[in-house]
């Protein structure tokens, strides 16, 4: 009884095994036939490309199709299975496989397995068209959302030799009922590869752009793009944490952090292109150049009472005085014992100096010295006096008629050599770190002097106190207009010139649309035009002239008392000295001891402590 049951069970198992083997064999034969049929279609599509990257999900049907395609495929191919996708990046592909004329193909039978493959594949790096080839009859229209050009091709086999092709294009910004467009192709001969791929992000299909009362060149550009691409937006002027774009303890802060976390879609303000930002975000083409500048108050003008001494520097005045004293001393020794004195009364050093000084004020002399060798000396000095007096008169006339500007700082080295403090708003800019770690000594000195403050109001007070501040060059102009500080200038030498771009979330598939319009606007000169127009409008809104005009415009005008006050002060000073000297002469004359009768009058005159010229 036991043996009979065992035999029957053995026969049943054998029969089941033979049936299963037959089914598997039929499935393998059918799969092979289907793969050959599909392979002819795929080879026809690949004939239009220059290269291809084929990724399969590891199913039996997908492996058979890939095997038949790659058997005699003349194109450069690279294969990857589902197990190797996690280690595959588009940058690691063979050269040319990720070009515009190449195709990346995902062959799958299991939809869930394909979605897993897609999640592991770095689709942000896919620049070539992506063809999703579905070998399953399941109706699933999900596609890759991060690829610019992607199409789903479904092979539904009604007969073994005649597949039915269905093309599904996904446009995410269309209305909910129009996001998927289906197209049925009756045969492979009507299928062309490059006709399959449509621009998925050619239009955002949204309402008209909302206008917000925000000024700026980036706002003008954004409005222009919104009118072309049909999207609306909402602007955020400042990030909640007050930072611009900085990594703090390994975490992105500010607006860059909002993009990284997916809280925002786009940064349209001036965003400098840096290496760490390039790795964390998608950046547009450069559309504007900017730099950082140091600004400080204009030095006060030269006081008008200094008009008398301004024409010559201090060293020139000292040189003229020393030269005049030396020549007076030499002239005195030449004529001290000659019968031809310069003056009727005495020939001391003071008189010689006054006689030589007449050439500096364009005064003639009544007589020439008769001593040998004195006339060449006098002639040489008169020539020098002519040059000095002419230069002095020309300089003082220019000083009185043309406004004189105090020399300003033009280089960063000059700023380092001064005692000005340097301030900047702490909003996460890259500049402080670059200055402190720079190999240039001037930059490093500025970095150690730079202090970060928490508000522009404090910075404004520091500028009024005579200190310098650092900010982006173009934004500095807007701040000065907003603060009404027309007495602040920007140092000519700039720091770290850089290119500005717009920033997107990593893997944004519609970035190319903004790149296209930005490039066209730059090439047409619209960006510079809008920038100038924005500045003029901003100045006009703050009660200033549209263009910067020098306040001291050259014009003929009568000289005022303020212009000539230095001359009157000099007259008052000389008269005061003359009064003092006169008083000393009176005192000396009053307390002088009577001279003897044998002393000549000339000798008595030489005994006076001051010359009788006064």
């Amino acid at each position: 009884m036991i043996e009979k049951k065992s035999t029957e069970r053995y026969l049943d198992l054998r029969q089941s095994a033979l049936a299963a083997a037959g089914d598997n064999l039929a499935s393998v034969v059918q799969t092979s036939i289907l793969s050959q049929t599909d392979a002819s279609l795929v080879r026809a599509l690949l004939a239009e490309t220059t290269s291809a990257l084929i990724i399969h999900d590891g199913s039996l049907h997908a492996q058979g199709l890939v095997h038949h395609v790659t058997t005699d495929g003349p194109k450069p191919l690279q294969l990857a299975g589902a197990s190797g996708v996690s280690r595959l990046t588009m940058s690691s592909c063979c050269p040319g496989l990720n070009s515009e004329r190449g195709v990346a193909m995902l062959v799958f039978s299991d939809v869930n397995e394909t979605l897993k493959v897609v999640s592991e594949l770095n689709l942000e790096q896919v620049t070539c068209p992506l063809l999703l080839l579905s070998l399953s009859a399941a109706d699933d229209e999900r596609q890759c959302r991060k690829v610019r050009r992607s199409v789903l091709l479904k092979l539904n086999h009604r007969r073994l030799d005649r597949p039915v092709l269905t093309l599904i294009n996904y446009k995410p910004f269309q209305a909910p009922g129009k996001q998927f467009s289906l197209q049925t192709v009756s045969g492979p001969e009507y299928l062309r590869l490059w006709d399959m791929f449509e621009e998925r992000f050619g239009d955002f299909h949204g309402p008209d752009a909302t206008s917000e009362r925000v000024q700026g060149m980036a706002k003008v550009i954004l409005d222009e793009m919104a009118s072309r691409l049909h999207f609306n937006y909402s602007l955020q002027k400042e990030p909640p944490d007050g930072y611009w774009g900085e990594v703090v303890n390994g975490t992105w802060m500010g607006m860059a952090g909002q993009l990284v976390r997916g809280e925002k879609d786009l940064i349209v303000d001036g965003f400098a292109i840096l290496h760490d930002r390039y790795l964390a975000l998608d950046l547009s083409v450069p559309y504007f150049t900017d730099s950082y500048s140091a600004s400080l108050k204009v030095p006060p003008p030269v006081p008008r009472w200094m008009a008398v001494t301004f024409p010559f520097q201090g060293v020139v005045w000292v040189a003229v005085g020393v030269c005049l004293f030396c020549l007076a001393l030499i002239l005195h020794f030449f004529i001290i014992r000659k019968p031809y004195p310069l003056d009727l009364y005495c020939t001391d050093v003071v008189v010689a100096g006054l006689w030589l000084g007449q050439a500096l004020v364009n005064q003639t002399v009544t007589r020439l010295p008769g001593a040998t060798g004195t006339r060449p000396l006098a002639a040489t000095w008169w020539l020098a006096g002519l040059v000095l007096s002419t230069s002095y008169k020309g300089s003082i006339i220019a000083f009185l008629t043309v406004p004189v500007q105090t020399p300003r700082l033009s280089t960063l080295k000059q700023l380092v050599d001064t005692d000005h403090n340097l301030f900047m708003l702490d909003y996460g800019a890259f500049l402080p770190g670059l200055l402190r770690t720079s190999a240039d000594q001037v930059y490093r000195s500025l970095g150690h002097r730079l202090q970060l403050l928490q508000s522009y109001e404090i910075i404004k007070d520091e500028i009024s106190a005579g200190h310098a501040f650092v900010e982006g060059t173009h934004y500095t102009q807007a701040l000065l207009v907003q603060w009404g500080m027309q007495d602040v200038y920007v140092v000519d030498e700039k720091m770290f010139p850089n290119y500005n771009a717009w920033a997107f979330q990593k893997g944004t598939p519609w970035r190319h649309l903004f790149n296209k319009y930005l490039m066209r606007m730059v090439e047409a000169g619209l960006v510079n035009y809008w920038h100038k127009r924005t500045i003029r409008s901003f100045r006009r809104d703050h009660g200033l002239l549209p263009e910067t005009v020098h306040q001291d415009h050259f014009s003929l005008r009568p000289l005022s008392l303020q212009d000539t006050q230095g001359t009157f002060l000099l007259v008052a000073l000389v008269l005061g000295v003359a009064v003092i000297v006169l008083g000393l002469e009176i005192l000396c004359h009053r307390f002088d001891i009577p001279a003897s009768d044998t002393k000549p009058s000339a000798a008595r005159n030489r005994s006076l402590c001051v010359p009788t010229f006064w």
Side-chain angles (χ1 to χ4, degrees):
M1 190 72 176
I2 295 176
E3 291 180 357
K4 184 177 179 180
K5 289 183 178 180
S6 299
T7 302
E8 291 177 354
R9 184 178 182 183
Y10 169 76
L11 293 175
D12 292 340
L13 291 175
R14 182 173 179 273
Q15 187 68 24
S16 300
L18 291 174
D23 293 341
N24 290 337
L25 180 61
S27 176
V28 170
V29 172
Q30 182 179 11
T31 301
S32 178
I33 296 175
L34 291 176
S35 298
Q36 292 180 7
T37 305
D38 299 340
S40 61
L41 170 63
V42 174
R43 280 197 296 267
L45 295 177
L46 294 181
E48 304 180 33
T49 66
T50 58
S51 60
L53 168 66
I54 302 179
I55 304 173
H56 60 83
D57 61 355
S59 63
L60 187 62
H61 193 176
Q63 291 184 17
L65 174 62
V66 172
H67 172 73
H68 288 293
V69 169
T70 58
T71 300
D72 55 353
K75 302 295 180 181
L77 299 174
Q78 182 165 335
L79 303 178
S83 59
V85 168
S86 59
R87 299 186 299 273
L88 177 68
T89 59
M90 300 305 294
S91 59
S92 65
C93 297
C94 296
L97 290 180
N98 197 22
S99 62
E100 286 292 328
R101 298 298 298 178
V103 169
M105 183 181 298
L106 235 64
V107 182
F108 61 94
S109 294
D110 187 357
V111 175
N112 294 326
E113 186 67 23
T114 303
L115 295 178
K116 178 181 177 182
V117 171
V118 169
S119 63
E120 295 179 353
L121 183 62
N122 190 5
L123 293 177
E124 290 87 353
Q125 301 179 9
V126 178
T127 59
C128 62
L130 179 62
L131 175 60
L132 304 176
L133 184 59
S134 175
L135 307 178
S136 173
D139 188 13
D140 195 307
E141 298 175 347
R142 287 175 289 181
Q143 292 193 62
C144 302
R145 297 172 177 262
K146 291 188 176 183
V147 182
R148 171 183 170 184
R149 289 175 295 175
S150 174
V151 65
L152 175 62
L153 177 61
K154 300 179 66 173
L155 303 180
N156 299 328
H157 296 84
R158 295 181 180 176
R159 298 188 303 273
L160 294 181
D161 59 343
R162 191 69 175 176
V164 177
L165 310 176
T166 303
L167 290 176
I168 302 177
N169 281 292
Y170 172 63
K171 297 182 178 180
F173 294 112
Q174 289 275 17
K178 300 179 180 179
Q179 290 182 335
F180 292 94
S181 61
L182 280 72
Q183 180 181 0
T184 302
V185 182
S186 58
E189 63 273 11
Y190 299 105
L191 198 61
R192 294 293 180 268
L193 179 65
W194 302 113
D195 295 337
M196 297 163 49
F197 297 101
E198 299 180 9
E199 180 60 64
R200 302 171 65 184
F201 304 99
D203 196 328
F204 290 92
H205 301 283
D208 294 336
T210 57
S211 179
E212 302 188 27
R213 292 193 58 80
V214 177
Q215 287 184 325
M217 179 184 63
K219 172 69 164 50
V220 177
I221 297 176
L222 187 63
D223 287 339
E224 188 66 25
M225 287 189 178
S227 65
R228 296 290 190 272
L229 298 175
H230 303 99
F231 65 86
N232 57 358
Y233 59 87
S234 59
L235 290 178
Q236 174 186 281
K237 295 183 181 180
E238 297 180 0
D241 55 10
Y243 281 86
W244 190 253
E246 184 183 19
V247 179
V248 179
N249 297 326
T251 303
W252 278 97
M253 306 295 291
M255 296 188 297
Q258 290 181 293
L259 281 188
V260 171
R261 294 187 298 269
E263 300 173 3
K264 301 294 179 181
D265 297 316
L266 178 63
I267 296 177
V268 300
D269 210 340
F271 203 67
I273 300 178
L274 302 176
H275 184 257
D276 54 351
R277 296 177 179 178
Y278 174 79
L279 296 178
L281 305 170
D282 279 347
L283 301 178
S284 70
V285 295
Y287 76 102
F288 202 64
T289 57
D290 200 358
S291 58
Y292 283 92
S293 300
S295 305
L296 63 162
K297 289 190 67 174
V298 176
V302 178
R304 307 301 289 179
W305 62 266
M306 293 182 61
V308 177
T309 60
F310 176 80
F312 293 150
Q313 295 182 354
V315 64
V316 178
W317 286 111
V318 173
V320 172
V322 172
C323 184
L324 182 60
F325 174 77
C326 294
L327 292 178
L329 189 62
I330 294 173
L331 184 61
H332 172 67
F333 283 119
F334 266 105
I335 63 175
I336 188 171
R337 297 190 181 277
K338 301 299 180 181
Y340 304 104
L342 296 175
D343 191 83
L344 295 177
Y345 303 101
C346 62
T347 57
D348 54 15
V349 177
V350 176
V351 173
L354 293 175
W355 185 83
L356 290 172
Q358 294 180 82
L360 298 178
V361 292
N362 293 340
Q363 295 294 318
T364 59
V365 293
T366 57
R367 65 178 66 182
L368 294 175
T372 304
T374 56
R375 294 191 178 186
L377 184 147
T380 305
W381 170 248
W382 289 340
L383 180 61
L386 177 63
V387 174
L388 289 174
S389 62
T390 304
S391 302
Y392 180 85
K393 287 189 295 184
S395 234
I396 197 171
I397 291 173
F399 179 86
L400 294 175
T401 55
V402 179
V404 177
Q405 296 293 335
T406 306
R408 304 181 182 182
L409 302 180
S410 59
T411 64
L412 298 177
K413 179 64 169 58
Q414 295 174 350
L415 180 61
V416 170
D417 295 337
T418 62
D419 57 351
H420 293 294
N421 293 328
L422 200 60
F423 298 98
M424 184 178 183
L425 185 68
D426 185 11
Y427 57 83
F430 65 90
L431 182 67
L434 287 182
L435 288 177
R436 295 190 184 100
T437 59
S438 175
D440 186 81
Q441 179 62 35
V442 175
Y443 278 5
R444 197 161 56 250
S445 301
L446 291 175
H448 292 311
R449 186 181 297 185
L450 184 62
Q451 303 178 34
L452 300 180
L453 301 179
Q454 300 301 320
S455 70
Y456 278 121
E457 293 299 325
I458 303 178
I459 293 179
K460 182 179 178 181
D461 296 337
E462 296 293 344
I463 298 172
S464 301
H467 301 296
F469 84 108
V470 175
E471 185 54 84
T473 303
H474 294 288
Y475 191 58
T476 297
Q477 299 175 358
L479 285 177
L480 297 180
V481 172
Q482 184 177 353
W483 293 340
M485 289 187 169
Q486 302 185 47
D487 58 345
V488 178
Y489 72 99
V490 180
V491 178
D492 293 337
E493 186 178 356
K494 305 299 186 292
M495 293 175 280
F496 294 107
N498 55 75
Y499 288 100
N500 286 352
W502 289 7
F504 308 83
Q505 294 181 15
K506 199 66 176 179
T508 300
W510 35 267
R511 179 185 57 169
H512 66 283
L513 295 177
F514 288 79
N515 284 340
K516 178 180 68 174
Y517 282 101
L518 280 176
M519 186 60 68
R520 290 179 178 178
M521 293 174 183
V522 171
E523 292 175 348
L526 291 175
V527 173
N528 289 332
Y529 169 73
W530 287 330
H531 177 249
K532 295 179 180 178
R533 191 180 68 177
T534 302
I535 292 179
R536 289 196 297 266
S537 176
F538 189 72
R539 290 179 59 85
R540 189 182 298 108
D541 293 344
H542 285 79
L544 302 177
L545 295 175
E547 300 289 345
T548 303
V549 180
H550 201 283
Q551 292 183 351
D552 298 325
H553 185 68
F554 296 159
S555 60
L556 296 177
R557 62 179 178 84
L559 296 178
S560 63
L561 180 61
Q562 182 182 4
D563 297 329
T564 57
Q565 60 180 328
T567 306
F568 292 103
L569 291 176
L570 181 62
V571 171
L573 177 63
V574 172
L575 289 178
V577 174
V579 170
I580 295 175
V581 172
L582 178 61
L584 291 176
E585 287 185 345
I586 294 174
L587 291 176
C588 290
H589 180 72
R590 176 172 298 180
F591 296 102
D592 189 18
I593 300 175
S596 63
D597 297 336
T598 59
K599 190 174 183 180
S601 60
R604 289 198 304 270
N605 289 332
R606 283 199 299 269
S607 66
L608 294 177
C609 60
V610 292
T612 57
F613 174 82
W614 297 98

